Amino acid sequence: INENLDEDPNTVKISGSCHCGTVGYQVDSDGPYPYQKCYCSICRKTSGGEGYTINLLADARTLKINGEKHLATYQAKLCAPESRKSEHRRLFCRHCGSHLWAWPSDWPDLVHPLASSVDSALPRPPYYTHMMLNYKPGWVQTFSAETDRCFDEYPDESITEWHTRLTSD
């Protein structure tokens, strides 16, 4: 997948940065395919773009950050009846506003770099998963292919399960 392999041949070292270059990071990933497009209001409004964001799967224990003091954290409020906060902390560059990764507090060993912040080469996924389509604005087109899977809410498989299915197909 990538020439910068660690000891584990299924692990890829991902490098990324913010737009102004003040914050940079490296992290190991065994889930580097940018396949899952989320259309929820949190992802759309914190990341911009065409109404969705794509998160990768990475090992938080390997995360190395340059310029950490320049990070800011946003913990989104969910629109659920109990109005609780999301378990994902979203980290941004406090200078240029680039959304760099999400970090779920309920899975502290995982970090989800945004594909849009990655500088290293990523593999092209053979198909996509479009999720949270109930929250997609009308002006956004999904451009989904026949091989893509689409979900009104959360998909029926995790990021890890998707990558396992990819390697077994």
Side-chain angles (χ1 to χ4, degrees):
I1 297 172
N2 190 328
E3 293 178 10
N4 297 327
L5 296 177
D6 281 337
E7 297 157 17
D8 181 348
N10 297 317
T11 300
V12 175
K13 187 161 300 295
I14 293 174
S15 297
S17 63
C18 66
H19 184 258
C20 71
T22 303
V23 180
Y25 67 90
Q26 277 195 338
V27 67
D28 293 343
S29 173
D30 62 358
Y33 282 85
Y35 80 96
Q36 192 177 63
K37 298 181 178 187
C38 181
Y39 297 83
C40 80
S41 65
I42 299 167
C43 288
R44 285 187 294 107
K45 291 179 180 272
T46 61
S47 297
E50 197 171 309
Y52 61 83
T53 189
I54 301 173
N55 294 330
L56 305 173
L57 177 65
D59 183 347
R61 296 167 296 189
T62 66
L63 181 62
K64 295 179 179 83
I65 305 166
N66 293 321
E68 187 169 3
K69 67 181 182 181
H70 301 284
L71 287 173
T73 301
Y74 173 67
Q75 195 158 358
K77 189 172 185 178
L78 296 177
C79 295
E82 63 273 10
S83 294
R84 62 185 178 85
K85 288 193 176 194
S86 166
E87 289 90 15
H88 282 70
R89 294 166 288 166
R90 287 154 175 80
L91 285 95
F92 297 81
C93 170
R94 69 176 63 242
H95 303 289
C96 67
S98 297
H99 185 181
L100 300 167
W101 61 83
W103 204 328
S105 58
D106 46 349
W107 290 299
D109 290 343
L110 297 178
V111 65
H112 299 290
L114 270 70
S116 58
S117 74
V118 174
D119 298 322
S120 52
L122 294 173
R124 180 180 289 197
Y127 39 81
Y128 290 95
T129 295
H130 301 266
M131 63 183 274
M132 306 303 268
L133 289 168
N134 277 346
Y135 308 99
K136 176 185 75 64
W139 63 268
V140 173
Q141 292 183 307
T142 60
F143 299 107
S144 58
E146 282 186 36
T147 54
D148 291 354
R149 299 179 74 204
C150 297
F151 298 90
D152 290 337
E153 299 277 333
Y154 290 101
D156 60 4
E157 65 185 351
S158 68
I159 292 176
T160 301
E161 290 167 337
W162 186 93
H163 282 85
T164 300
R165 183 166 57 89
L166 175 69
T167 58
S168 65
D169 284 353

